[in-house]
Amino acid sequence: MSSTKTENPSSLSLSCSPSRSQPKPKAQKKSYGNGVFGDVYSIVKEMEIDLHNSPFDFRFQIPNFPHDTLGSREVREFMSGALAGAMTKAILAPLETIRTRMVVGVGSKNIAGSFVQVIEQQGWQGLWAGNMINMLRIIPTQAVELGTFECVKRAMTSVQEKWKQDEYPKLKIGCINLNFSLCWISPVAVAGAAAGVASTLLCHPLEVLKDRLTVSPEAYPNLGIAIRNIYKDGGIGSFYAGISPTLVGMLPYSTCYYFMYDTMKKSYCQTRNKKSLSRPEMLLIGALAGFTASTISFPLEVARKRLMVGALQGKCPPNMAAALSEVIREEGLKGLYRGWGASCLKVMPSSGITWMFYEAWKDILLVPKGYSL
């Protein structure tokens, strides 16, 4: 996962290790401002540029993390997922807003029209409507999802290897011999499904809040009012509106998403005779994995959004099957893929950037401790 150092003077090299050049004068304290990018700079607190060897050879120094205080490998993986998710959502919040509006049928039916409509009605800040709750949602969601994926994949692989060494359990019924082998089960697929279910169960209420703030900022102007009104409408159960189709839709999406990324990553490395991917390659393969998984599970995503925000329009289908039937009856089969273009526009860069950031944070938090990736 580490970048290869080059001697080409026209290249741009990134280094996470302290610079070995002569001591530099103490730099003045810099103020990075507030907002999204201020949050990012709070993570990377110090940046030094080394221009001694070449005017084009830049070296960024990231301060050492307190590795001894981060705990086990699992904690580092969860932290990597949280940081990757936060950075991704800070960049792609406008696409998330447009995608949600189109999926639930609010406003314009095309991407450009929806973009212009949001700006006309709410100004530029409207593109970040619900972004605060989105950031609060994505940090635990990505931490749980990616952390669970790594843990379950490692556990499943270990179980398979142990069963293979100790021989599989066998059952003999008359002349029939049955071997209970686990070799046909993909650890990546199982881990992907477990990751999706775990993150959904823990973080679904935040997803409901984010969608309400995005779709109807007039009725839900801030987080406190949104929580109070949703609870008043239906109690705790209102925060889990649409949980059934979410779980049903998450299983094929999450399973396919992680399986496709892992499979494409291994196949590409074998074809190119490489041990690891570069950052642009991670970005591309992650985007393709997100595109494939989203296309397969998108009709269930439409049904899920209908159930979650149906109360805003005065009608809420009783279940997922009713929501799908309603969409087909009103808009035909093509209605099941309404907003698919906007979804891909959001999912592909989101997936690619998330994997790129996640692998980068693993390099920072795991590699120095000797953990294999």
Side-chain angles (χ1 to χ4, degrees):
M1 298 297 176
S2 60
S3 58
T4 303
K5 184 175 180 182
T6 178
E7 297 297 330
N8 188 347
S10 64
S11 64
L12 179 68
S13 62
L14 299 179
S15 174
C16 294
S17 60
S19 175
R20 296 183 180 177
S21 60
Q22 297 179 356
K24 302 179 180 61
K26 185 176 181 181
Q28 295 181 354
K29 185 177 180 181
K30 298 181 181 180
S31 174
Y32 296 108
N34 299 321
V36 171
F37 295 102
D39 295 337
V40 174
Y41 279 114
S42 67
I43 298 173
V44 183
K45 297 179 180 178
E46 180 183 353
M47 182 178 71
E48 294 185 0
I49 302 179
D50 182 5
L51 299 178
H52 288 276
N53 295 328
S54 168
F56 299 102
D57 185 19
F58 296 97
R59 300 181 184 275
F60 295 92
Q61 178 181 354
I62 299 177
N64 292 329
F65 281 83
H67 294 292
D68 295 337
T69 65
L70 293 180
S72 64
R73 172 177 187 152
E74 288 73 17
V75 173
R76 298 169 190 274
E77 290 170 342
F78 275 67
M79 183 176 291
S80 298
L83 291 169
M87 288 178 154
T88 302
K89 288 302 177 185
I91 296 171
L92 300 177
L95 292 180
E96 174 70 15
T97 298
I98 299 301
R99 171 181 173 271
T100 300
R101 289 172 63 89
M102 293 189 68
V103 168
V104 301
V106 174
S108 177
K109 295 184 178 181
N110 61 75
I111 298 172
S114 184
F115 183 83
V116 172
Q117 190 176 61
V118 171
I119 296 177
E120 289 178 347
Q121 294 176 354
Q122 305 173 40
W124 287 99
Q125 64 271 24
L127 294 172
W128 276 266
N131 187 52
M132 179 59 69
I133 186 61
N134 202 22
M135 293 291 288
L136 294 176
R137 175 189 68 89
I138 201 61
I139 290 175
T141 298
Q142 287 295 97
V144 171
E145 186 172 324
L146 289 166
T148 300
F149 170 73
E150 297 284 6
C151 294
V152 174
K153 182 179 73 171
R154 203 158 44 242
M156 280 293 300
T157 303
S158 177
V159 169
Q160 283 186 335
E161 292 176 354
K162 188 175 186 302
W163 276 38
K164 187 175 182 180
Q165 293 174 358
D166 298 342
E167 295 187 354
Y168 305 116
K170 299 178 181 180
L171 177 64
K172 184 174 183 179
I173 304 176
C175 60
I176 301 176
N177 293 322
L178 299 176
N179 293 332
F180 295 93
S181 172
L182 295 179
C183 62
W184 59 274
I185 300 177
S186 170
V188 175
V190 173
V197 171
S199 63
T200 298
L201 291 176
L202 290 175
C203 305
H204 188 77
L206 295 175
E207 176 77 8
V208 173
L209 285 169
K210 186 268 297 182
D211 282 347
R212 295 291 179 94
L213 289 168
T214 300
V215 174
S216 185
E218 299 82 8
Y220 304 97
N222 58 61
L223 181 59
I225 293 176
I227 294 174
R228 184 172 67 250
N229 289 348
I230 293 174
Y231 182 78
K232 187 185 298 184
D233 290 341
I236 296 296
S238 296
F239 292 95
Y240 282 90
I243 187 65
S244 296
T246 299
L247 288 173
V248 174
M250 180 57 69
L251 279 172
Y253 174 82
S254 186
T255 303
C256 179
Y257 175 60
Y258 286 99
F259 181 79
M260 288 297 297
Y261 177 78
D262 191 79
T263 301
M264 288 190 291
K265 177 181 176 181
K266 290 181 178 178
S267 300
Y268 185 84
C269 287
Q270 291 176 356
T271 302
R272 296 298 183 94
N273 195 24
K274 302 175 63 174
K275 292 183 178 180
S276 62
L277 299 176
S278 65
R279 300 297 180 228
E281 290 168 342
M282 291 176 189
L283 182 68
L284 177 60
I285 291 178
L288 291 175
F291 170 79
T292 304
S294 179
T295 301
I296 292 174
S297 63
F298 194 78
L300 297 176
E301 173 74 1
V302 173
R304 180 174 76 91
K305 294 292 186 182
R306 283 286 182 115
L307 289 172
M308 290 175 64
V309 301
L312 296 177
Q313 302 173 348
K315 56 179 182 178
C316 185
N319 52 57
M320 183 180 63
L324 289 171
S325 299
E326 181 181 285
V327 173
I328 295 174
R329 184 172 62 253
E330 294 177 357
E331 305 180 43
L333 291 175
K334 66 179 182 180
L336 296 176
Y337 280 89
R338 176 177 177 175
W340 174 77
S343 180
C344 290
L345 187 63
K346 176 259 177 184
V347 168
M348 291 181 67
S350 176
S351 175
I353 293 172
T354 297
W355 277 113
M356 184 176 66
F357 279 144
Y358 178 62
E359 300 284 4
W361 280 112
K362 283 171 63 179
D363 285 346
I364 295 173
L365 298 179
L366 294 174
V367 171
K369 297 297 290 184
Y371 295 115
S372 59
L373 300 179

